[in-house]
Amino acid sequence: MGAVVIGGPASRTQARRLAEELNLEYVPVEHKLFPDGESYLRIDADLRGKVVLLCQGTHPPQDRHLLQLLMIAKTVEERGASRLVAVVPYLAYARQDREFLQGEVVSIRVVLESLRCAGVDVLLTVNPHSPWALTSGVLEAVSVDVTRFLARKVAELLGPFHLVGSPGKKGRSMAESAAEEIGAEPFHLASSRDPLTGQVTVRAEGIDAAGKRVLLIDDIVSTGGTMVGAVRELLGLGAREVVVSCVHGLFVGDAAERLVKAGASAVISTDTVPTDHSKVSVIGEVARAIRERMELG
Ligand code: R5P
């Protein structure tokens, strides 16, 4: 019996930290790439009867990281683990959670089915794009919401903010909880994306931002298009300073540089996707969620 944390190649640092937080043995995965780009993986540990927390994010390169997750999971199952919890700090393919245009692949469904087939009993992830898409019953899923934690940590790092805003449909509740956490005023940014071109339009109307310190918060910054639009709108309304924060900083291409160029005074993300902007670690929050919800034997 007992539990161990296995660190997949995508999330070794986070896995080690998780093992420390939970006071569990850390099991590394030996990994190398064959000359043709395929992954070689080896787990040299006795997993029989153990609860295994397999930590492997699926941030870019998503396809490689996802396949590694599935291959390690299947091997853990075959090696006789009693329960397999996939700890996936960033869950890829979660944004295509419905058929927007007829015939589109609903990728999140395929990912969940694949995890189940690979032997995963529980999926634990951080701020998935659509928490509801994980509750389809394919497998047990736990979503850890770090919105409040992130806002608190950013305010600790950079000082108090007058306003906290967030774009998109989920933005209203995200801004409200973040603002409540740090004693600021929430606001919502209307945003829409053209499903064909991907072009984002952000509108910040009726917000009294003049002379104020503004914290923008979102679950994902990918191309940065949404946040660049938001920063420009806020600065156009006379904001004194605009800080961009997000849970998952994918920062595709030069997204972070474009945010700074647009006028953001800082760009901060968590360590669900490890980058130079990962100034806030959420592994303590992940460990807390595991302790609260799971029997580790
Ligand atoms: C959308 O629902 C998300 O919350 C983000 O606003 C979006 O994914 C950001 O994408 P991008 O950085 O490409 O504008």
Side-chain angles (χ1 to χ4, degrees):
M1 278 299 278
V4 298
V5 176
I6 293 186
S11 306
R12 285 198 181 107
T13 307
Q14 293 92 330
R16 253 189 238 109
R17 203 163 178 159
L18 185 63
E20 269 168 37
E21 290 273 352
L22 294 170
N23 206 14
L24 294 176
E25 182 193 346
Y26 169 73
V27 174
V29 175
E30 187 186 334
H31 167 242
K32 62 187 179 204
L33 285 180
F34 289 111
D36 60 2
E38 291 179 1
S39 295
Y40 168 91
L41 300 157
R42 178 169 180 241
I43 311 154
D44 187 16
D46 182 5
L47 303 175
R48 271 169 304 172
K50 298 212 167 125
V51 174
V52 170
L53 304 171
L54 164 56
C55 184
Q56 163 90 351
T58 52
H59 48 274
Q62 294 92 328
D63 295 358
R64 172 174 289 167
H65 288 159
L66 180 58
L67 190 58
Q68 289 172 342
L69 171 61
L70 295 171
M71 292 197 290
I72 301 167
K74 193 68 198 159
T75 306
V76 168
E77 187 201 36
E78 287 167 0
R79 300 284 288 277
S82 65
R83 193 161 169 78
L84 172 52
V85 180
V87 179
V88 184
Y90 171 68
L91 182 64
Y93 289 109
R95 284 186 286 177
Q96 187 79 40
D97 54 18
R98 71 193 81 171
E99 208 178 321
F100 298 97
L101 300 174
Q102 201 188 342
E104 284 178 343
V105 170
V106 182
S107 54
I108 186 62
R109 278 212 301 258
V110 179
V111 168
L112 296 179
E113 289 283 356
S114 306
L115 288 170
R116 187 178 56 81
C117 290
V120 172
D121 296 300
V122 184
L123 164 67
L124 185 143
T125 190
V126 178
N127 286 72
H129 181 68
S130 324
W132 59 265
L134 304 188
T135 58
S136 56
V138 173
L139 80 179
E140 192 184 331
V142 176
S143 303
V144 182
D145 182 0
V146 298
T147 305
R148 284 174 178 271
F149 178 77
L150 172 60
R152 193 166 75 240
K153 290 292 162 191
V154 175
E156 279 170 20
L157 285 169
L158 300 177
F161 291 90
H162 301 101
L163 296 174
V164 180
S166 187
K169 286 199 194 88
K170 287 171 298 181
R172 213 174 286 280
S173 64
M174 202 166 188
E176 275 165 13
S177 51
E180 187 183 76
E181 183 68 25
I182 60 171
E185 198 62 35
F187 70 91
H188 176 246
L189 290 157
S191 73
S192 56
R193 186 184 297 269
D194 184 310
L196 290 177
T197 63
Q199 184 71 35
V200 184
T201 312
V202 182
R203 288 176 309 282
E205 285 155 9
I207 298 162
D208 178 14
K212 299 194 172 148
R213 290 194 83 221
V214 180
L215 173 62
L216 291 173
I217 190 162
D218 203 350
D219 56 350
I220 303 176
V221 170
S222 178
T223 64
T226 308
M227 280 298 194
V228 164
V231 170
R232 287 198 182 124
E233 286 279 294
L234 270 304
L235 290 175
L237 292 172
R240 168 151 56 101
E241 190 185 346
V242 182
V243 169
V244 170
S245 68
C246 63
V247 177
H248 311 295
L250 299 175
F251 303 124
V252 174
D254 62 349
E257 290 72 27
R258 289 200 302 117
L259 284 163
V260 172
K261 231 184 229 166
S265 63
V267 178
I268 295 187
S269 70
T270 78
D271 59 350
T272 59
V273 180
T275 71
D276 292 347
H277 300 278
S278 306
K279 305 288 184 214
V280 175
S281 176
V282 295
I283 299 305
E285 294 299 287
V286 169
R288 189 141 65 102
I290 291 171
R291 260 188 246 109
E292 282 171 6
R293 291 156 187 260
M294 290 171 204
E295 188 58 63
L296 294 179

